[in-house]
Amino acid sequence: MAVEKKSIFSRPLDLIYFIYFATHIPVTLSIDFQLFYPPHWVPKALSDVLSFYLDSFKDPFMGSTTPLYWFRSFIYCELVVQLPFFFIACVGLVKGSKYIRLPLAIYGAHVATTVLPTLIEVLFNPSYNLNQAERLVLFGFYAPYFFLPIIMVIDSFIRVNSYLHLPEPTRTTATPTIKKSAKIQ
């Protein structure tokens, strides 16, 4: 007898993950990758959106006039690693696949460790000409891309452990025995 899969609408955390990945696809392709596209490839409407964002929120990373190679490396990882995974995650989440959990944990750990330096830079680097309110707004833009992946790591860890049905380790007081053949002579 086949087990009926629950709808994604009955799995609120998975629905949030799905929305996160599904909305990340157009933002990644249309905004983030403008750092790599030749300017003549970018439709004026999209370059206007990026210009509005930069003028309004003074993002020192997306709007840097000198290349920030550490930040570009994160965007490059987004192109090569994350963008393909966004599609895989959407399908796996809609299907309710158990097999998406470990990749979600890996994705979450990767993204959280790349967004953390960005958050620290926004909040504490005095070389950016930002007042406290502007820093907090930028923190607000970047923070969900740190906290939701951390939640994915924790949630996936819990689910993968439950799928494995591993018994809790027990402490034994017995001393380990060494086979005679394993003794060093």
Side-chain angles (χ1 to χ4, degrees), residues 147-168:
F147 290 112
L148 191 57
I150 290 290
I151 292 168
M152 278 182 211
V153 169
I154 295 166
D155 178 46
S156 295
F157 173 79
I158 292 167
R159 292 189 201 200
V160 168
N161 273 345
S162 74
Y163 299 152
L164 296 175
H165 302 292
L166 295 176
E168 286 293 318

Side-chain angles (χ1 to χ4, degrees), residues 105-171:
I106 294 167
Y107 167 85
H110 165 71
V111 171
T113 56
T114 60
V115 174
L116 183 61
T118 307
L119 291 172
I120 298 303
E121 282 285 312
V122 161
L123 289 176
F124 300 112
N125 190 331
S127 68
Y128 302 127
N129 190 20
L130 299 169
N131 63 39
Q132 192 62 22
E134 291 165 335
R135 290 178 187 279
L136 292 175
V137 167
L138 284 171
F139 179 85
F141 281 129
Y142 283 105
Y145 297 100
F146 174 74
F147 290 112
L148 191 57
I150 290 290
I151 292 168
M152 278 182 211
V153 169
I154 295 166
D155 178 46
S156 295
F157 173 79
I158 292 167
R159 292 189 201 200
V160 168
N161 273 345
S162 74
Y163 299 152
L164 296 175
H165 302 292
L166 295 176
E168 286 293 318
T170 58
R171 292 185 180 246

Side-chain angles (χ1 to χ4, degrees), residues 8 12-28 32 78 82-83 85-87 89-90 93 103-104 106-115 141-153:
I8 194 166
L13 207 47
D14 285 353
L15 181 60
I16 291 169
Y17 299 160
F18 175 82
I19 292 168
Y20 168 89
F21 288 117
T23 59
H24 211 106
I25 293 167
V27 171
T28 296
D32 295 351
E78 191 174 355
Q82 295 176 32
L83 181 63
F85 181 70
F86 296 160
F87 293 95
C90 286
L93 289 163
L104 281 174
I106 294 167
Y107 167 85
H110 165 71
V111 171
T113 56
T114 60
V115 174
F141 281 129
Y142 283 105
Y145 297 100
F146 174 74
F147 290 112
L148 191 57
I150 290 290
I151 292 168
M152 278 182 211
V153 169

Side-chain angles (χ1 to χ4, degrees), residues 50-63:
L50 181 57
S51 293
F52 170 79
Y53 170 74
L54 295 174
D55 293 341
S56 301
F57 304 107
K58 300 179 185 171
D59 186 321
F61 313 118
M62 292 296 290

Side-chain angles (χ1 to χ4, degrees), residues 178-185:
I178 299 174
K179 293 181 181 177
K180 260 189 172 179
S181 60
K183 285 186 180 179
I184 298 175
Q185 307 217 6

